[in-house]
mmCIF file of all heavy atoms in Angstrom:
data_model
loop_
_atom_site.group_PDB
_atom_site.id
_atom_site.type_symbol
_atom_site.label_atom_id
_atom_site.label_comp_id
_atom_site.label_asym_id
_atom_site.label_seq_id
_atom_site.Cartn_x
_atom_site.Cartn_y
_atom_site.Cartn_z
ATOM 1 N N SER H 1 10.250 17.849 -15.742
ATOM 2 C CA SER H 1 9.220 16.889 -16.449
ATOM 3 C C SER H 1 9.420 15.496 -15.900
ATOM 4 O O SER H 1 8.415 14.794 -15.779
ATOM 5 C CB SER H 1 9.336 17.075 -17.944
ATOM 6 O OG SER H 1 10.583 16.567 -18.343
ATOM 7 N N ARG H 2 10.624 15.034 -15.712
ATOM 8 C CA ARG H 2 10.793 13.666 -15.199
ATOM 9 C C ARG H 2 10.276 13.570 -13.786
ATOM 10 O O ARG H 2 9.641 12.513 -13.486
ATOM 11 C CB ARG H 2 12.380 13.319 -15.258
ATOM 12 C CG ARG H 2 12.776 13.018 -16.708
ATOM 13 C CD ARG H 2 14.226 12.505 -16.649
ATOM 14 N NE ARG H 2 14.585 12.213 -18.038
ATOM 15 C CZ ARG H 2 15.943 11.940 -18.301
ATOM 16 N NH1 ARG H 2 16.723 11.770 -17.357
ATOM 17 N NH2 ARG H 2 16.216 11.858 -19.503
ATOM 18 N N VAL H 3 10.538 14.482 -12.885
ATOM 19 C CA VAL H 3 9.995 14.394 -11.609
ATOM 20 C C VAL H 3 8.470 14.571 -11.606
ATOM 21 O O VAL H 3 7.788 13.836 -10.847
ATOM 22 C CB VAL H 3 10.541 15.522 -10.700
ATOM 23 C CG1 VAL H 3 9.926 15.658 -9.308
ATOM 24 C CG2 VAL H 3 12.129 15.349 -10.478
ATOM 25 N N ALA H 4 7.916 15.397 -12.476
ATOM 26 C CA ALA H 4 6.460 15.418 -12.556
ATOM 27 C C ALA H 4 5.805 14.055 -13.067
ATOM 28 O O ALA H 4 4.903 13.682 -12.555
ATOM 29 C CB ALA H 4 6.080 16.615 -13.527
ATOM 30 N N ALA H 5 6.544 13.416 -13.984
ATOM 31 C CA ALA H 5 6.053 12.134 -14.487
ATOM 32 C C ALA H 5 6.190 11.101 -13.350
ATOM 33 O O ALA H 5 5.221 10.298 -13.100
ATOM 34 C CB ALA H 5 6.828 11.753 -15.640
ATOM 35 N N LEU H 6 7.229 11.121 -12.672
ATOM 36 C CA LEU H 6 7.403 10.218 -11.457
ATOM 37 C C LEU H 6 6.243 10.503 -10.471
ATOM 38 O O LEU H 6 5.753 9.542 -9.847
ATOM 39 C CB LEU H 6 8.758 10.352 -10.972
ATOM 40 C CG LEU H 6 9.068 9.583 -9.593
ATOM 41 C CD1 LEU H 6 9.080 8.150 -10.045
ATOM 42 C CD2 LEU H 6 10.342 9.951 -9.101
ATOM 43 N N ARG H 7 6.030 11.814 -10.176
ATOM 44 C CA ARG H 7 4.941 12.064 -9.230
ATOM 45 C C ARG H 7 3.601 11.608 -9.679
ATOM 46 O O ARG H 7 2.835 11.083 -8.861
ATOM 47 C CB ARG H 7 4.967 13.687 -9.022
ATOM 48 C CG ARG H 7 3.960 14.001 -7.896
ATOM 49 C CD ARG H 7 4.042 15.619 -7.662
ATOM 50 N NE ARG H 7 3.166 15.923 -6.545
ATOM 51 C CZ ARG H 7 1.859 15.902 -6.682
ATOM 52 N NH1 ARG H 7 1.232 15.664 -7.820
ATOM 53 N NH2 ARG H 7 1.110 16.243 -5.571
ATOM 54 N N ARG H 8 3.315 11.834 -10.962
ATOM 55 C CA ARG H 8 2.026 11.321 -11.399
ATOM 56 C C ARG H 8 1.890 9.822 -11.319
ATOM 57 O O ARG H 8 0.824 9.272 -10.865
ATOM 58 C CB ARG H 8 1.795 11.747 -12.913
ATOM 59 C CG ARG H 8 1.448 13.221 -13.195
ATOM 60 C CD ARG H 8 1.069 13.395 -14.570
ATOM 61 N NE ARG H 8 2.090 13.116 -15.586
ATOM 62 C CZ ARG H 8 3.039 13.854 -15.948
ATOM 63 N NH1 ARG H 8 3.040 15.062 -15.637
ATOM 64 N NH2 ARG H 8 3.952 13.498 -16.816
ATOM 65 N N HIS H 9 2.921 9.126 -11.589
ATOM 66 C CA HIS H 9 2.860 7.637 -11.492
ATOM 67 C C HIS H 9 2.766 7.276 -9.998
ATOM 68 O O HIS H 9 1.986 6.397 -9.649
ATOM 69 C CB HIS H 9 4.143 7.040 -12.129
ATOM 70 C CG HIS H 9 4.159 5.559 -12.027
ATOM 71 N ND1 HIS H 9 3.343 4.753 -12.860
ATOM 72 C CD2 HIS H 9 4.830 4.754 -11.292
ATOM 73 C CE1 HIS H 9 3.488 3.405 -12.647
ATOM 74 N NE2 HIS H 9 4.494 3.464 -11.615
ATOM 75 N N ALA H 10 3.380 7.950 -9.023
ATOM 76 C CA ALA H 10 3.399 7.598 -7.633
ATOM 77 C C ALA H 10 1.952 7.879 -7.188
ATOM 78 O O ALA H 10 1.377 7.157 -6.350
ATOM 79 C CB ALA H 10 4.354 8.422 -6.898
ATOM 80 N N VAL H 11 1.337 8.952 -7.675
ATOM 81 C CA VAL H 11 -0.059 9.260 -7.207
ATOM 82 C C VAL H 11 -0.954 8.132 -7.687
ATOM 83 O O VAL H 11 -1.879 7.701 -6.980
ATOM 84 C CB VAL H 11 -0.524 10.588 -7.745
ATOM 85 C CG1 VAL H 11 -2.053 10.824 -7.666
ATOM 86 C CG2 VAL H 11 0.172 11.724 -7.030
ATOM 87 N N ARG H 12 -0.790 7.673 -8.896
ATOM 88 C CA ARG H 12 -1.629 6.499 -9.437
ATOM 89 C C ARG H 12 -1.361 5.328 -8.641
ATOM 90 O O ARG H 12 -2.362 4.567 -8.490
ATOM 91 C CB ARG H 12 -1.299 6.311 -10.935
ATOM 92 C CG ARG H 12 -1.888 7.411 -11.874
ATOM 93 C CD ARG H 12 -1.545 7.307 -13.302
ATOM 94 N NE ARG H 12 -2.181 6.053 -13.750
ATOM 95 C CZ ARG H 12 -1.803 5.291 -14.755
ATOM 96 N NH1 ARG H 12 -0.689 5.760 -15.440
ATOM 97 N NH2 ARG H 12 -2.426 4.259 -15.144
ATOM 98 N N VAL H 13 -0.165 5.041 -8.262
ATOM 99 C CA VAL H 13 0.105 3.802 -7.386
ATOM 100 C C VAL H 13 -0.510 3.903 -6.121
ATOM 101 O O VAL H 13 -1.132 2.985 -5.601
ATOM 102 C CB VAL H 13 1.663 3.551 -7.363
ATOM 103 C CG1 VAL H 13 1.889 2.613 -6.282
ATOM 104 C CG2 VAL H 13 2.225 3.138 -8.610
ATOM 105 N N ARG H 14 -0.497 5.116 -5.457
ATOM 106 C CA ARG H 14 -1.081 5.262 -4.124
ATOM 107 C C ARG H 14 -2.505 5.163 -4.256
ATOM 108 O O ARG H 14 -3.209 4.513 -3.457
ATOM 109 C CB ARG H 14 -0.684 6.719 -3.641
ATOM 110 C CG ARG H 14 -1.286 7.033 -2.355
ATOM 111 C CD ARG H 14 -1.388 8.447 -1.959
ATOM 112 N NE ARG H 14 -2.201 9.223 -2.952
ATOM 113 C CZ ARG H 14 -2.159 10.465 -3.056
ATOM 114 N NH1 ARG H 14 -1.431 11.266 -2.285
ATOM 115 N NH2 ARG H 14 -2.927 11.041 -4.063
ATOM 116 N N ASN H 15 -3.179 5.860 -5.265
ATOM 117 C CA ASN H 15 -4.680 5.736 -5.388
ATOM 118 C C ASN H 15 -5.126 4.193 -5.597
ATOM 119 O O ASN H 15 -6.041 3.867 -5.063
ATOM 120 C CB ASN H 15 -5.181 6.574 -6.550
ATOM 121 C CG ASN H 15 -4.967 8.058 -6.205
ATOM 122 O OD1 ASN H 15 -4.696 8.450 -5.067
ATOM 123 N ND2 ASN H 15 -5.173 8.896 -7.225
ATOM 124 N N HIS H 16 -4.306 3.499 -6.383
ATOM 125 C CA HIS H 16 -4.670 2.150 -6.672
ATOM 126 C C HIS H 16 -4.613 1.335 -5.361
ATOM 127 O O HIS H 16 -5.460 0.637 -5.055
ATOM 128 C CB HIS H 16 -3.677 1.533 -7.643
ATOM 129 C CG HIS H 16 -3.848 -0.011 -7.842
ATOM 130 N ND1 HIS H 16 -4.980 -0.501 -8.603
ATOM 131 C CD2 HIS H 16 -3.077 -0.924 -7.549
ATOM 132 C CE1 HIS H 16 -4.809 -1.753 -8.617
ATOM 133 N NE2 HIS H 16 -3.720 -2.084 -8.094
ATOM 134 N N ALA H 17 -3.511 1.596 -4.618
ATOM 135 C CA ALA H 17 -3.422 0.749 -3.346
ATOM 136 C C ALA H 17 -4.456 1.133 -2.393
ATOM 137 O O ALA H 17 -5.134 0.187 -1.748
ATOM 138 C CB ALA H 17 -1.991 1.050 -2.742
ATOM 139 N N LYS H 18 -4.771 2.442 -2.245
ATOM 140 C CA LYS H 18 -5.894 2.734 -1.362
ATOM 141 C C LYS H 18 -7.269 2.272 -1.842
ATOM 142 O O LYS H 18 -8.095 1.977 -0.929
ATOM 143 C CB LYS H 18 -5.808 4.298 -1.050
ATOM 144 C CG LYS H 18 -4.628 4.784 -0.352
ATOM 145 C CD LYS H 18 -4.761 6.240 0.001
ATOM 146 C CE LYS H 18 -3.565 6.573 0.947
ATOM 147 N NZ LYS H 18 -3.639 7.950 1.357
ATOM 148 N N LEU H 19 -7.572 2.289 -3.162
ATOM 149 C CA LEU H 19 -8.813 1.775 -3.610
ATOM 150 C C LEU H 19 -8.945 0.258 -3.375
ATOM 151 O O LEU H 19 -10.018 -0.134 -3.012
ATOM 152 C CB LEU H 19 -8.973 2.163 -5.040
ATOM 153 C CG LEU H 19 -10.382 1.978 -5.644
ATOM 154 C CD1 LEU H 19 -11.480 2.729 -4.820
ATOM 155 C CD2 LEU H 19 -10.477 2.377 -7.077
ATOM 156 N N VAL H 20 -7.874 -0.461 -3.667
ATOM 157 C CA VAL H 20 -7.941 -1.906 -3.388
ATOM 158 C C VAL H 20 -8.123 -2.169 -1.930
ATOM 159 O O VAL H 20 -8.973 -2.999 -1.483
ATOM 160 C CB VAL H 20 -6.630 -2.564 -3.820
ATOM 161 C CG1 VAL H 20 -6.585 -3.962 -3.348
ATOM 162 C CG2 VAL H 20 -6.604 -2.532 -5.331
ATOM 163 N N ASP H 21 -7.577 -1.300 -1.040
ATOM 164 C CA ASP H 21 -7.743 -1.369 0.358
ATOM 165 C C ASP H 21 -9.216 -1.091 0.767
ATOM 166 O O ASP H 21 -9.787 -1.668 1.650
ATOM 167 C CB ASP H 21 -6.788 -0.475 1.183
ATOM 168 C CG ASP H 21 -6.724 -0.842 2.644
ATOM 169 O OD1 ASP H 21 -6.401 -1.995 2.914
ATOM 170 O OD2 ASP H 21 -6.931 0.124 3.470
ATOM 171 N N CYS H 22 -9.835 -0.142 0.102
ATOM 172 C CA CYS H 22 -11.268 0.187 0.231
ATOM 173 C C CYS H 22 -12.138 -1.048 -0.133
ATOM 174 O O CYS H 22 -13.113 -1.314 0.577
ATOM 175 C CB CYS H 22 -11.659 1.342 -0.477
ATOM 176 S SG CYS H 22 -11.123 2.864 0.155
ATOM 177 N N TYR H 23 -11.815 -1.711 -1.230
ATOM 178 C CA TYR H 23 -12.492 -2.841 -1.583
ATOM 179 C C TYR H 23 -12.476 -3.970 -0.482
ATOM 180 O O TYR H 23 -13.418 -4.577 -0.102
ATOM 181 C CB TYR H 23 -12.007 -3.424 -2.923
ATOM 182 C CG TYR H 23 -12.588 -2.935 -4.184
ATOM 183 C CD1 TYR H 23 -12.031 -1.855 -4.917
ATOM 184 C CD2 TYR H 23 -13.718 -3.497 -4.726
ATOM 185 C CE1 TYR H 23 -12.602 -1.481 -6.073
ATOM 186 C CE2 TYR H 23 -14.372 -3.035 -5.814
ATOM 187 C CZ TYR H 23 -13.741 -1.892 -6.557
ATOM 188 O OH TYR H 23 -14.290 -1.558 -7.687
ATOM 189 N N LEU H 24 -11.159 -4.092 0.079
ATOM 190 C CA LEU H 24 -10.952 -5.070 1.109
ATOM 191 C C LEU H 24 -11.783 -4.674 2.373
ATOM 192 O O LEU H 24 -12.261 -5.710 2.986
ATOM 193 C CB LEU H 24 -9.453 -5.126 1.459
ATOM 194 C CG LEU H 24 -8.610 -6.183 0.594
ATOM 195 C CD1 LEU H 24 -7.205 -5.938 0.950
ATOM 196 C CD2 LEU H 24 -9.151 -7.609 0.810
ATOM 197 N N SER H 25 -11.792 -3.497 2.725
ATOM 198 C CA SER H 25 -12.385 -3.111 4.013
ATOM 199 C C SER H 25 -13.936 -3.291 3.826
ATOM 200 O O SER H 25 -14.595 -3.714 4.816
ATOM 201 C CB SER H 25 -12.118 -1.696 4.489
ATOM 202 O OG SER H 25 -12.489 -0.726 3.468
ATOM 203 N N THR H 26 -14.463 -3.039 2.695
ATOM 204 C CA THR H 26 -15.776 -3.306 2.413
ATOM 205 C C THR H 26 -16.137 -4.840 2.441
ATOM 206 O O THR H 26 -17.067 -5.234 2.932
ATOM 207 C CB THR H 26 -16.211 -2.796 0.949
ATOM 208 O OG1 THR H 26 -15.907 -1.339 0.917
ATOM 209 C CG2 THR H 26 -17.659 -3.035 0.757
ATOM 210 N N PHE H 27 -15.257 -5.682 1.962
ATOM 211 C CA PHE H 27 -15.295 -7.056 2.099
ATOM 212 C C PHE H 27 -15.345 -7.552 3.535
ATOM 213 O O PHE H 27 -16.258 -8.312 3.957
ATOM 214 C CB PHE H 27 -14.245 -7.787 1.255
ATOM 215 C CG PHE H 27 -14.117 -9.288 1.508
ATOM 216 C CD1 PHE H 27 -15.120 -10.042 0.871
ATOM 217 C CD2 PHE H 27 -13.086 -9.841 2.255
ATOM 218 C CE1 PHE H 27 -15.030 -11.486 1.072
ATOM 219 C CE2 PHE H 27 -13.087 -11.169 2.480
ATOM 220 C CZ PHE H 27 -14.017 -11.956 1.904
ATOM 221 N N TYR H 28 -14.490 -6.963 4.355
ATOM 222 C CA TYR H 28 -14.453 -7.441 5.682
ATOM 223 C C TYR H 28 -15.577 -6.880 6.584
ATOM 224 O O TYR H 28 -15.982 -7.535 7.459
ATOM 225 C CB TYR H 28 -13.114 -6.988 6.331
ATOM 226 C CG TYR H 28 -11.903 -7.836 5.857
ATOM 227 C CD1 TYR H 28 -10.901 -7.234 5.289
ATOM 228 C CD2 TYR H 28 -11.988 -9.224 5.970
ATOM 229 C CE1 TYR H 28 -9.806 -8.032 4.848
ATOM 230 C CE2 TYR H 28 -10.881 -9.984 5.479
ATOM 231 C CZ TYR H 28 -9.777 -9.357 4.993
ATOM 232 O OH TYR H 28 -8.771 -10.086 4.456
ATOM 233 N N LYS H 29 -16.161 -5.744 6.124
ATOM 234 C CA LYS H 29 -17.309 -5.249 6.886
ATOM 235 C C LYS H 29 -18.597 -6.119 6.606
ATOM 236 O O LYS H 29 -19.448 -6.323 7.454
ATOM 237 C CB LYS H 29 -17.571 -3.733 6.445
ATOM 238 C CG LYS H 29 -16.702 -2.778 7.015
ATOM 239 C CD LYS H 29 -17.127 -1.359 6.428
ATOM 240 C CE LYS H 29 -15.984 -0.336 6.667
ATOM 241 N NZ LYS H 29 -16.242 0.838 5.910
ATOM 242 N N ASN H 30 -18.694 -6.562 5.356
ATOM 243 C CA ASN H 30 -19.808 -7.294 4.961
ATOM 244 C C ASN H 30 -19.690 -8.798 5.169
ATOM 245 O O ASN H 30 -20.600 -9.556 5.059
ATOM 246 C CB ASN H 30 -20.128 -6.968 3.462
ATOM 247 C CG ASN H 30 -20.661 -5.636 3.298
ATOM 248 O OD1 ASN H 30 -21.771 -5.341 3.775
ATOM 249 N ND2 ASN H 30 -19.891 -4.847 2.521
ATOM 250 N N LYS H 31 -18.616 -9.330 5.482
ATOM 251 C CA LYS H 31 -18.348 -10.690 5.792
ATOM 252 C C LYS H 31 -18.842 -11.114 7.058
ATOM 253 O O LYS H 31 -18.502 -10.440 8.088
ATOM 254 C CB LYS H 31 -16.777 -11.006 5.683
ATOM 255 C CG LYS H 31 -16.454 -12.359 5.807
ATOM 256 C CD LYS H 31 -14.920 -12.561 5.763
ATOM 257 C CE LYS H 31 -14.620 -13.975 6.085
ATOM 258 N NZ LYS H 31 -13.204 -14.231 6.266
ATOM 259 N N GLY H 32 -19.673 -11.985 7.162
ATOM 260 C CA GLY H 32 -20.195 -12.474 8.464
ATOM 261 C C GLY H 32 -19.265 -13.463 9.168
ATOM 262 O O GLY H 32 -18.232 -13.852 8.588
ATOM 263 N N ILE H 33 -19.769 -13.908 10.315
ATOM 264 C CA ILE H 33 -18.959 -14.935 11.049
ATOM 265 C C ILE H 33 -18.895 -16.262 10.415
ATOM 266 O O ILE H 33 -17.858 -16.812 10.424
ATOM 267 C CB ILE H 33 -19.616 -15.032 12.482
ATOM 268 C CG1 ILE H 33 -19.625 -13.744 13.252
ATOM 269 C CG2 ILE H 33 -18.844 -16.147 13.283
ATOM 270 C CD1 ILE H 33 -20.374 -13.743 14.506
#
């Protein structure tokens, strides 16, 4: 149960980091010169 809780938290951290990165890539795609 402790490893499962740790895994759930790690998945949430990974998803958060990747989603923030998607926001950033969208920003850089739409940013003009």
Side-chain angles (χ1 to χ4, degrees):
S1 66
R2 285 185 181 176
V3 170
L6 178 65
R7 186 179 182 282
R8 281 191 302 271
H9 184 69
V11 167
R12 289 179 62 204
V13 167
R14 179 199 61 196
N15 291 350
H16 173 70
K18 288 187 176 185
L19 191 56
V20 169
D21 196 53
C22 285
Y23 272 95
L24 272 173
S25 63
T26 302
F27 171 73
Y28 288 125
K29 282 180 199 171
N30 290 295
K31 183 180 175 188
I33 297 171

